[in-house]
Amino acid sequence: MRSKAILLLWIKFIFACTAQYSDEIKKIIDLGYERKAQSILPYLSDKNEPKRYYATLQCVSLADTITIPFLKKNVLDSSIRVACTAAYALGQFSSDTQLNLMPLILQEKRDTVAYWLIISAGKYKTIDRSVFYQYLDTLQNSTRLEAALYALYYLGMQNIYDAKGISKALECLLHKRASVRYASAKYFERMPASYYTSSVQQRLFQQAQTEHDTYTKIALIHSLKKCLPNDSVQTYLNKICVEEKQEYRYVVAALRAGGIPLQKPAIQNENIQQEILNIILTQNLPNSDNYLTTFKASLANSIGTYEDIKSKFPYLASVILKYLGTSVRHHNFIASQMLNSENSPVIRTTAAELLLQLRQSGSYSTLQQDTNMFLQYCKQGLQSKDPGVIAVMAEMVRKYYLKNVDINTLQQAKSSLQLPRDIETYQEIEKTIALKQGKTYNPKKYPQNYYTKVAWSMITDLRPIVEVNTTKGTFCVELYADVAPATVSYMIKLIKEKYFEGRYFHRLVPNFLIQGGCPRGDGYGSTDLLLRSEFSPIPYQEGSVGMASAGKDTESCQFFITHVPTPHLNGRYTIFGKVISGMNVVHSLSIGDKILKTELKNK
């Protein structure tokens, strides 16, 4: 684990060596936060190291091409934190930017700097792959090898795969360093099934059975879905579903990969229940007397109590509604739930999402095509003035009814929204209007008065601790005011105002994240202020706390906590903290769990 240790020590050094912000540093951060790239440039070559560093850090979020020459120069800086941050910032531009980083990589002698340069190089379609693969073949250093595998991973995110990369990743699945094996496993986890040759399938299956590193094994189990149908793989996945007793994430991974629990799983966890429900609602499973059938029957028996529980337990009612949504014959009832203004936003938005799922399902064809019922539901949803419903119906228009819904209906739906509070829905409507008009959608730059400023008075500690008490227990988060001061100062403000108390966790994706903080409780709510994105080289690990967004510079009050490392989020979502105790509580959280109290703690 030497390469991982080097990186963690570096991260700890560069982000914890400043006791407090000076006035000059605050000015640099404010300029970066306000996206004044031109004003940042002089500080990138300042003689004062802290000024160079914080100016370079702003470039990670700026992603302005005028900074590229300065960043290339700062990669050579004698300060390790300046050089590493510059290397990371060079990976933040659009993937088709004409940026060749291989010369910098080949001449760099410092492993940590080379690490970020290599990863950044993999984010560009224009990378010279012949030179990159020659370099990859010569690597013996585990830190650089790990970075090269992540470069392959990011190339894969752009659907760039080839035999040389696949071969090297297969080879590295057997590496002695767990961090190298993990990077390889993530590459295959994302790789499309069309590249899964018999040799790839065999190696992944063998490694999944013998792997001891938790994160690597989870990624490998996820990958086995692309090895089916295969009796041996299916048996292995089924066995994990039932017999695994220690790590619930293995069970979730097996369920997601296609495993079937033929009896009650050994581990009782709501995340597992969530995955079982997802299987019931999305897959046609064998109708046998097994745990799934029992679970399905118990859920069906609760339908009669739907009206009784939806006002008191809307998240439970939404589960029942999802069960009804497996059959297109319930479309009238589901539409009535979407349009009932007395229902909670959770119910209304869930119903809208179910109508969209039914419209795109194969069972939709069983309806008479000339009834236009779903078109009417779509129009009524757009007229509902409910942001969650409007967002989903805007998507339905784009997919199915672009010719049938007039521009005035869309404009009226847009006029019912309030900015910046309804920014996510606003963007969905804007996308639909642009498509209707035959234009390319480009997100707008919103006025400065939409954004909160860095509340410097709120930051008395660069790493404050907040204790979060929930219905499942308590966990503590260390906040990163040293890299995300605007986000942390705003979150501290909300904590002091007791904003989060009584808010629900509304989104759960097991083996990925739990999300909360939405004032509506359905994911379509924000406060009346926005935050700009504050990106940094800190990677998303298990327990990382990040800001949900509808695109760059649209953050507000919703946050998420990751269950596992999530490299595809790095540099794309603001990371502003990490769970330092009570991670077991975080793993137990499910949709509908509530935040009871948040409190800043003295160290």
Side-chain angles (χ1 to χ4, degrees):
M1 295 294 288
R2 178 177 174 272
S3 60
K4 200 75 169 182
I6 289 173
L7 292 172
L8 292 176
L9 284 172
W10 166 73
I11 290 167
K12 183 177 181 181
F13 167 73
I14 67 170
F15 296 123
C17 61
T18 303
Q20 190 53 270
Y21 288 119
S22 68
D23 289 341
E24 290 181 303
I25 298 303
K26 289 178 183 178
K27 178 182 177 181
I28 293 171
I29 291 172
D30 284 335
L31 289 171
Y33 185 70
E34 293 167 8
R35 302 300 186 245
K36 296 180 179 178
Q38 194 70 44
S39 299
I40 287 288
L41 297 182
Y43 295 104
L44 289 169
S45 54
D46 197 283
K47 292 181 180 180
N48 180 271
E49 191 272 352
K51 291 182 183 179
R52 289 200 312 280
Y53 163 65
Y54 279 102
T56 305
L57 181 60
Q58 303 317 301
C59 294
V60 178
S61 301
L62 283 170
D64 192 313
T65 54
I66 66 171
T67 65
I68 290 176
F70 296 86
L71 293 172
K72 284 186 173 181
K73 181 180 177 181
N74 281 8
V75 166
L76 306 176
D77 201 286
S78 59
S79 165
I80 192 71
R81 66 174 184 167
V82 172
C84 287
T85 306
Y88 188 86
L90 284 170
Q92 289 294 97
F93 304 96
S94 62
S95 64
D96 55 356
T97 301
Q98 299 295 314
L99 193 57
N100 183 12
L101 299 181
M102 288 309 301
L104 287 172
I105 292 169
L106 294 174
Q107 71 183 39
E108 182 54 59
K109 298 185 182 301
R110 296 166 293 182
D111 287 345
T112 49
V113 181
Y115 181 93
W116 293 119
L117 278 173
I118 295 166
I119 288 177
S120 290
K123 295 179 181 179
Y124 296 104
K125 296 177 181 177
T126 55
I127 186 175
D128 188 335
R129 277 187 277 164
S130 62
V131 175
F132 173 71
Y133 285 127
Q134 288 176 10
Y135 176 71
L136 181 58
D137 286 339
T138 66
L139 286 178
Q140 300 296 321
N141 179 289
S142 61
T143 298
R144 297 185 186 224
L145 180 59
E146 177 185 328
L149 291 164
Y150 278 120
L152 289 175
Y153 172 84
Y154 287 113
L155 285 170
M157 288 182 65
Q158 303 169 74
N159 199 32
I160 297 174
Y161 296 94
D162 53 43
K164 289 185 178 179
I166 293 171
S167 176
K168 189 65 178 181
L170 274 181
E171 175 188 322
C172 290
L173 281 175
L174 300 176
H175 199 277
K176 63 181 180 180
R177 304 285 185 193
S179 59
V180 173
R181 298 198 305 276
Y182 172 73
S184 300
K186 291 299 289 184
Y187 175 73
F188 289 109
E189 182 184 43
R190 182 169 287 274
M191 191 172 77
S194 57
Y195 294 96
Y196 270 55
T197 62
S198 59
S199 61
V200 169
Q201 293 183 34
Q202 183 178 4
R203 178 66 61 81
L204 290 173
F205 185 38
Q206 290 174 346
Q207 191 65 26
Q209 294 175 85
T210 59
E211 181 59 58
H212 297 295
D213 177 69
T214 301
Y215 304 136
T216 305
K217 191 177 184 73
I218 290 169
L220 289 168
I221 295 172
H222 281 151
S223 299
L224 293 183
K225 181 175 184 178
K226 287 167 279 192
C227 298
L228 296 175
N230 178 300
D231 290 343
S232 297
V233 173
Q234 186 68 64
T235 300
Y236 174 67
L237 293 174
N238 293 354
K239 184 176 180 180
I240 293 175
C241 289
V242 175
E243 297 183 8
E244 173 58 40
K245 297 179 180 179
Q246 301 298 323
E247 181 52 73
Y248 88 91
R249 288 172 294 185
Y250 294 165
V251 181
V252 170
L255 285 164
R256 193 167 292 168
I260 302 172
L262 300 177
Q263 61 190 60
K264 192 173 183 178
I267 296 180
Q268 296 304 297
N269 180 290
E270 287 192 39
N271 290 342
I272 295 173
Q273 302 295 332
Q274 176 82 12
E275 281 305 297
I276 292 175
L277 177 61
N278 288 338
I279 290 173
I280 292 171
L281 299 180
T282 59
Q283 298 183 31
N284 184 21
L285 295 169
N287 186 21
S288 57
D289 185 17
N290 56 35
Y291 178 66
L292 286 175
T293 303
T294 304
F295 187 88
K296 187 173 180 178
S298 64
L299 187 60
N301 291 336
S302 68
I303 293 176
T305 65
Y306 173 78
E307 290 296 332
D308 297 329
I309 67 173
K310 74 174 182 178
S311 61
K312 295 181 180 179
F313 309 105
Y315 291 99
L316 177 57
S318 70
V319 173
I320 298 172
L321 197 58
K322 288 177 182 178
Y323 177 78
L324 291 174
T326 59
S327 173
V328 73
R329 69 177 182 271
H330 294 134
H331 65 87
N332 277 320
F333 176 73
I334 294 170
S336 73
Q337 297 306 293
M338 177 184 76
L339 299 171
N340 185 347
S341 60
E342 295 183 0
N343 284 341
S344 73
V346 175
I347 296 296
R348 291 163 62 82
T349 301
T350 298
E353 292 169 344
L354 289 173
L355 286 176
L356 177 58
Q357 291 173 23
L358 288 174
R359 177 60 183 83
Q360 58 196 14
S361 71
S363 59
Y364 173 77
S365 60
T366 62
L367 293 175
Q368 291 182 348
Q369 297 297 304
D370 60 352
T371 60
N372 290 323
M373 289 182 180
F374 277 72
L375 173 59
Q376 293 306 311
Y377 298 153
C378 190
K379 290 180 177 179
Q380 290 171 324
L382 289 170
Q383 296 165 359
S384 68
K385 298 183 178 181
D386 182 290
V389 173
I390 291 173
V392 179
M393 293 300 104
E395 182 181 351
M396 186 182 284
V397 171
R398 291 200 302 274
K399 290 184 175 180
Y400 301 106
Y401 300 119
L402 198 63
K403 294 181 180 179
N404 307 95
V405 176
D406 61 77
I407 195 75
N408 288 334
T409 300
L410 296 171
Q411 294 285 9
Q412 288 173 5
K414 177 180 169 181
S415 67
S416 71
L417 303 174
Q418 180 180 322
L419 286 177
R421 184 194 65 193
D422 301 324
I423 190 167
E424 184 166 358
T425 302
Y426 184 87
Q427 291 186 341
E428 287 295 322
I429 282 287
E430 285 275 278
K431 289 177 188 176
T432 308
I433 291 174
L435 189 62
K436 179 79 174 177
Q437 295 175 333
K439 299 178 180 178
T440 300
Y441 169 72
N442 293 307
K444 290 183 178 180
K445 290 186 176 181
Y446 299 101
Q448 188 65 37
N449 65 311
Y450 280 13
Y451 292 93
T452 182
K453 296 181 178 180
V454 183
W456 294 110
S457 62
M458 292 286 177
I459 300 176
T460 58
D461 186 342
L462 290 185
R463 287 292 178 97
I465 306 295
V466 58
E467 183 179 87
V468 183
N469 182 251
T470 75
T471 46
K472 290 287 180 60
T474 300
F475 61 91
C476 289
V477 174
E478 181 181 54
L479 302 178
Y480 297 159
D482 44 357
V483 291
T487 303
V488 170
S489 65
Y490 189 58
M491 298 301 275
I492 289 175
K493 176 179 178 290
L494 294 179
I495 289 168
K496 289 185 173 181
E497 292 174 353
K498 302 186 183 303
Y499 165 84
F500 293 106
E501 297 180 11
R503 305 291 180 196
Y504 292 93
F505 290 97
H506 65 272
R507 182 186 179 210
L508 169 68
V509 184
N511 280 15
F512 182 30
L513 57 77
I514 184 79
Q515 185 169 320
C518 175
R520 286 171 49 90
D522 66 344
Y524 285 97
S526 298
T527 62
D528 291 327
L529 285 172
L530 296 179
L531 289 160
R532 296 190 188 278
S533 305
E534 295 180 285
F535 302 139
S536 72
I538 298 180
Y540 276 92
Q541 301 292 329
E542 179 183 356
S544 294
V545 187
M547 292 298 291
S549 76
K552 187 178 179 181
D553 295 343
T554 63
E555 293 86 347
S556 180
C557 55
Q558 293 189 44
F559 66 92
F560 59 84
I561 307 173
T562 52
H563 291 159
V564 293
T566 51
H568 66 286
L569 301 183
N570 294 345
R572 298 171 65 192
Y573 290 83
T574 299
I575 180 170
F576 70 97
K578 182 171 175 43
V579 175
I580 56 173
S581 67
M583 194 61 206
N584 60 317
V585 173
V586 174
H587 281 300
S588 72
L589 291 170
S590 189
I591 293 174
D593 282 324
K594 186 187 295 186
I595 298 173
L596 302 177
K597 185 178 181 180
T598 54
E599 183 179 7
L600 290 167
K601 306 297 289 186
N602 295 323
K603 289 186 177 179

